Amino acid sequence: SFLALFCIATSVAMATLPDRVARLEEVIGSSATGALVARVVHLEVCCLGSAAAGPLLQRTSKLEELIGCDPGTAPVAPIAAPVAPVTPVAAVAVAAVAAVADGPAEVADAAASSQDVAAEAPPEAPVAALADGPAEVVDAAASSQVDQPEVFALPAAKRRRCNELRQEGGYQLEANAGSVAPNPKAFKVHPLREEQLRSLAWMYSREACRDGFKGGMLADKMGYGKTATTIGMLSEKPGQVPDERPSGYIRNPATLILCPPHLVEQWEDEFFKFLGDEVQLFRPFLLPAKQKKRLVLPPIRFTGSQLFTVHGQAVSGLSQEMRRHNAGLRLTPEKQLQEGDYIESLKVELPPGQVFVTELCGIRTTSRTAFADKAYDFQHFLDQKCRQGCTVEVIVVRETKPRIKRFRGEGSFRILTIANNTDFGRLKLKDLLLPEPFNVVLVSTSILGANYHHERLTETLNNWLREEGQLCLGKSMGARQKMLRECIDKWHQKDGFLAAALRSSPALLETMWWNRMVLDEFHESESWITRVREVMKSLGATYRWGLSGTPPLDTTDAVLEVAELLWYATDATAPFMSEALKHRKSRKQDSKTWLADEENKQKIHGECQAMIRDVVRQNSSQLVEAIAVQEHEEFVQFTAQERLIYRQACHDHEMFVEQLAYEGASFDTREALLKRCAHFCLEMDAGDAGEAVRFLGRRKRAHIEQLQQQLELEASRAAHLSVWETAKHGLLADKAQHAEAEKFIHEVYQTSEQVWKEKDPEKKSFEMQIVLYDQNGERRLRPEVRFKQPFRDAHVYPRLNFRHVVQHAVARRCVPRADQILSELQVCSQICCRDPQHLPVAMSAGFQVLANLLDTAHRSLDFYTGQMRSLSDIESLRNEQCSVCLTPKDDLAALVMLPCSHIFHRDCVRSALETNPKCPYCRAHAPKKSMSSVLLEVEVATSAAEPLPAELRSHGSKLLAVARRLQKIRAEDAKAKAIVFVQWQELENKVARALQGHGLPVLQLPRGKNAGREMATVMKSFTTSEEAFVLLLSLEHAASGSNLTAANHVIFVHPMNADTLSSAVAYERQALARVRRVGQERAEVHVWRFVTRETVEEHMHQLHCRANPPDQARAGGA
């Protein structure tokens, strides 16, 4: 946070009020202009979330106190952070830091870290000119501005942001105010409403454009029928095949619809609802053995020239000799080897009688059997084993029918649904290009992020580009997509190649140039990992559409990402946006300078606004706006034990000023604190808060022991690698504040290298493990190498470069398999692991991290001990004297606790800390913002705690309040249904147990990448079953798109945690829109927000209410 990052030097010169405001702007990086009052208001919004009241001088002083500026000084340059002294022994290590540390902070290699590959720009997409849309509606896009546009942005923790373009864009969305299109002919039972027909007319006009970008973003507000409008366009404008094949693609006349997994069945139902008998739905299925023909072809005599070529397991070409062989024997077509045949095995018999057979599992001879790790290369086998005079016997498998079957309906509008990885694995490319083409291919977006998709893409590229030496080992997803374009162009060089590819290659969506592409719930694109974004960017389509009630258009950076996915920003249509997209991927200083240039920013902003004006529309509906929203707030008070656990979390995350929930805390910090507000212990099944408090203390003591073990293990490893004397200086890089931590660190530091070797004679510090599966049980794309030690490698070495250097140094000595895996990573080629200067630098950084962690752990335990003492002996605390003023601590409300757990009067210690930010008692570092109220640590709930049975005490105060509210709702309205929203899986499980413990029927969505259909089944059961009462949903993963109008109560267990305030509010609007939409039969819906008093949650709730007051929520559609 800016509070921790900036340190301002003091000066004797007094400053005027404008100077003080200028100084505050310099500290927090504010760029507001105008009158002094306006500038102060801008600062207050940045720091407090809203403008304050009172005299200007008083408001400025409050800001200075909050930020830590001296009000009597003029702006000066920040003081550089203190640098630890460098000893002569460590000089070599320090000199080598730049060579290692200047490498990329995150390297494009999925096996080396959990982060995905770096983004790369897709190849420039050709756009084919198609026929114009209906002439009568081309001019129907007259527009006017929307007063309250719904925009959206997801947490920065999930994507890389461009800091130079993160300022609020202030973009205006437009609403359709022109003429309407005719109702689609097939929409007889459920005609479109006027506002939907207006959107349909605009969509027609966008596709009728002769030049430039064709498509756009339909941003009609949530619940207003974007799906129905899109289906209307698809029914009126069937697919068309481009006249010329776009380079690097296969032409496909279908429309590709990509949606979240839980919405696949909802899309299917909507097609049948609006198109009725005209729909025919297909799904993939496992081809039974009777529909596969296994054929043993007649032996082929090899005379010295190549017989046929094989890519993967498919025959991709026949030589003239092979064709003569087929004709000479007068074989029936069934007995002839054909291009595209899928090979099961090859058998080569040499004249001396030796026989070689290769199958998918390996290669064997008459004398020995050797099995490969993966499918054997048939082409390599032919090249190596065939000799003149030998005979070749081929066993092929031919499929007699496509791998799809009709699931429902008999109409002419054909839809293929691919809902999960199982469906995807059953299809080949040929199944997407049947003689009678599909109108729509409906696909779950979860498929594109699955390891299975990545593996099939890798397999396809290796099969077809092996000859060119273009193996995709270590390549980023962007590079692989470029290789796929080359691969597809190669398929079109020969008819045999294309036939073989279509029969043998998996149904990779990015191989196709679709007539139209629709990205449903487009705002979720901001949470896609890089690998998925690269695939999405490479999908080719003539018309590109996005659907979202909360489009991600809050900043210039977000608009650029939208433009990139839609292929809008080209050098011809938006040259500055196109240039910005190139620079935002670069880490070079020239790119940062270009992006920071004010003139460039203005031109980019202008092109972004022009794009929004032309290709984004947002309508509203009177039917939805008529549904009233009744907001309810339920405030929860912590028990004393719950308060202790929460305040401990605040201390451990250095969150001492709860009013800085967004500006002063990271995404992860807010997440940790919100979880503590919801439940006292998500890590285990504690019987009550008291047991959780005791568990917390045991865990903190165990954490210190593990850190000490890790430090000793790391020291032994450095000794065995002969870098201890150089690397150990990292232990003293930062002075420890806690005496016990400092004592242990000095003991480790003073131990000699020989002693550390003797303490680890069996080299336990060199033990490594190779992890094949991730935490979800899925096989990793590439095995991950880790040390066997108390802490994960990433915790000791946060920088990937440092972590790799240490791992590779050990693996190279004693773990050959790990050495091979690490050598194949891209990071290994980017830094020189064999440079002897890099290892001590990396290990020194690890020692510095561990020393800081140990010091922090000791201080955290002290704070815990101080809280426990306050709880257990309040009277003794009252009789103690403040060590500053030497008066009794009799007024608990006037006492504060510092991070070191020492307690003082608030006014006494505030004055002392202003002079010197150190504890007056132990001299530990303690800035003013680190004070926490003792009263909050020791006070209990104001109402008398009622006795609860043991099974209910485990749920905690908040979940108990949620359960009781739901019981009251059901008692008052037997037909009511409620949706309970939480953000995290572990909390969702706790909520489910709490509600079940109170006798409430609860439905939870299944988890997993293949659970899309099961999720839809649960949602349908909730809607139709009279017994279903509560549905638990995730704010983050299941809050958008689903239609749940059977419910009329929405419960937020906690405020949504997102990167920005507008992001969090947009999430909550999406959640409310599940019930407040067309189809809601009740006149009003109820929103219940549960908030824990005197926590960061209460402050976040206040900010959310200001950003989305009840009247605005109703006007805005959610």
Side-chain angles (χ1 to χ4, degrees), residues 459-480:
E459 175 187 320
T460 301
L461 295 176
N462 286 341
N463 286 338
W464 287 92
L465 299 179
R466 188 188 302 269
E467 298 172 1
E468 291 82 355
Q470 297 187 39
L471 295 180
C472 54
L473 185 65
K475 299 288 181 64
S476 67
M477 179 56 74
R480 291 169 192 245

Side-chain angles (χ1 to χ4, degrees), residues 36 137 160 218 230 406 456 497 690 718 755 768 827 881 887 920 971 1026 1028 1066:
L36 192 62
V137 296
R160 183 185 170 207
L218 181 59
T230 304
R406 185 176 60 83
R456 298 289 79 78
F497 282 6
V755 172
M768 309 188 83
V827 64
Q881 287 186 339
T887 58
E1026 295 182 358

Side-chain angles (χ1 to χ4, degrees), residues 772-814:
L772 302 179
Y773 297 90
D774 63 16
Q775 59 185 2
N776 298 320
E778 291 193 4
R779 191 175 182 88
R780 293 178 178 273
L781 297 178
R782 189 177 301 153
E784 181 179 351
V785 177
R786 298 177 187 168
F787 286 118
K788 290 184 179 180
Q789 57 188 23
F791 284 81
R792 292 284 298 270
D793 303 9
H795 295 163
V796 182
Y797 299 100
R799 287 188 64 89
L800 174 59
N801 294 351
F802 290 160
R803 184 163 69 247
H804 178 81
V805 166
V806 178
Q807 288 177 337
H808 211 166
V810 174
R812 195 178 294 114
R813 292 190 175 210
C814 54

Side-chain angles (χ1 to χ4, degrees), residues 530-782:
T530 305
R531 188 168 73 211
V532 177
R533 292 186 67 83
E534 291 299 319
V535 176
M536 289 293 186
K537 289 191 299 185
S538 70
L539 288 168
T542 304
Y543 309 112
R544 304 175 75 88
W545 288 100
L547 307 180
S548 175
T550 51
L553 304 172
D554 60 328
T555 67
T556 300
D557 191 47
V559 177
L560 287 173
E561 290 187 345
V562 171
E564 188 175 34
L565 284 172
L566 292 179
W567 288 10
Y568 172 85
T570 64
D571 292 339
T573 59
F576 279 89
M577 291 178 68
S578 176
E579 190 70 16
L581 285 172
K582 299 173 185 176
H583 283 296
R584 68 188 295 275
K585 296 181 178 66
S586 174
R587 298 179 185 272
K588 296 181 179 180
Q589 187 59 42
D590 290 347
S591 294
K592 294 181 179 180
T593 302
W594 191 92
L595 291 171
D597 183 79
E598 289 300 325
E599 184 178 353
N600 292 338
K601 282 185 179 181
Q602 291 178 5
K603 292 180 178 178
I604 295 170
H605 187 279
E607 291 183 355
C608 287
Q609 183 61 68
M611 170 192 140
I612 294 173
R613 182 191 65 241
D614 295 338
V615 305
V616 182
R617 286 295 184 275
Q618 185 173 80
N619 266 334
S620 59
S621 170
Q622 294 300 324
L623 292 177
V624 177
E625 292 175 359
I627 303 172
V629 178
Q630 295 296 329
E631 291 272 354
H632 308 272
E633 296 175 333
E634 295 258 346
F635 290 97
V636 179
Q637 192 75 39
F638 270 148
T639 65
Q641 291 84 2
E642 289 174 328
R643 169 68 61 184
L644 184 149
I645 294 173
Y646 170 77
R647 296 302 297 175
Q648 185 68 48
C650 288
H651 173 274
D652 293 347
H653 290 85
E654 298 184 355
M655 183 66 178
F656 302 104
V657 183
E658 292 164 352
Q659 286 69 27
L660 296 178
Y662 284 99
E663 296 84 357
S666 67
F667 179 89
D668 293 335
T669 296
R670 290 196 302 274
E671 177 178 329
L673 298 184
L674 287 174
K675 287 180 178 179
R676 292 303 182 198
C677 291
H679 194 270
F680 50 76
C681 187
L682 297 180
E683 297 82 7
M684 60 173 286
D685 293 329
D688 54 27
E691 182 181 342
V693 168
R694 294 187 292 274
F695 168 71
L696 180 62
R698 293 194 301 270
R699 191 174 61 178
K700 289 191 173 299
R701 295 182 182 93
H703 182 63
I704 291 176
E705 293 178 1
Q706 290 177 337
L707 280 168
Q708 292 174 344
Q709 294 172 8
Q710 181 67 46
L711 259 173
E712 293 175 344
L713 188 71
E714 204 71 23
S716 297
R717 184 180 297 140
H720 287 301
L721 292 172
S722 302
V723 296
W724 167 246
E725 294 299 332
T726 306
K728 70 178 184 179
H729 297 285
L731 292 168
L732 306 182
D734 299 317
K735 179 175 175 57
Q737 300 177 27
H738 195 277
E740 291 295 325
E742 186 177 24
K743 178 181 176 182
F744 183 84
I745 290 170
H746 276 280
E747 288 177 357
V748 173
Y749 180 85
Q750 293 169 2
T751 304
S752 67
E753 184 173 293
Q754 184 60 34
V755 172
W756 285 122
K757 289 182 179 179
E758 293 173 356
K759 287 186 176 183
D760 185 25
E762 298 179 1
K763 293 188 177 181
K764 293 286 187 182
S765 58
F766 277 16
E767 291 183 355
M768 309 188 83
Q769 56 185 349
I770 299 174
V771 184
L772 302 179
Y773 297 90
D774 63 16
Q775 59 185 2
N776 298 320
E778 291 193 4
R779 191 175 182 88
R780 293 178 178 273
L781 297 178
R782 189 177 301 153

Side-chain angles (χ1 to χ4, degrees), residues 108-109 125 239 308 405 451 531 669 749 778 941 968 1010 1103 1110:
D109 206 302
F308 53 89
K405 66 177 180 181
N451 288 348
R531 188 168 73 211
T669 296
Y749 180 85
E778 291 193 4
K968 290 181 181 178
N1010 290 335
L1103 293 180

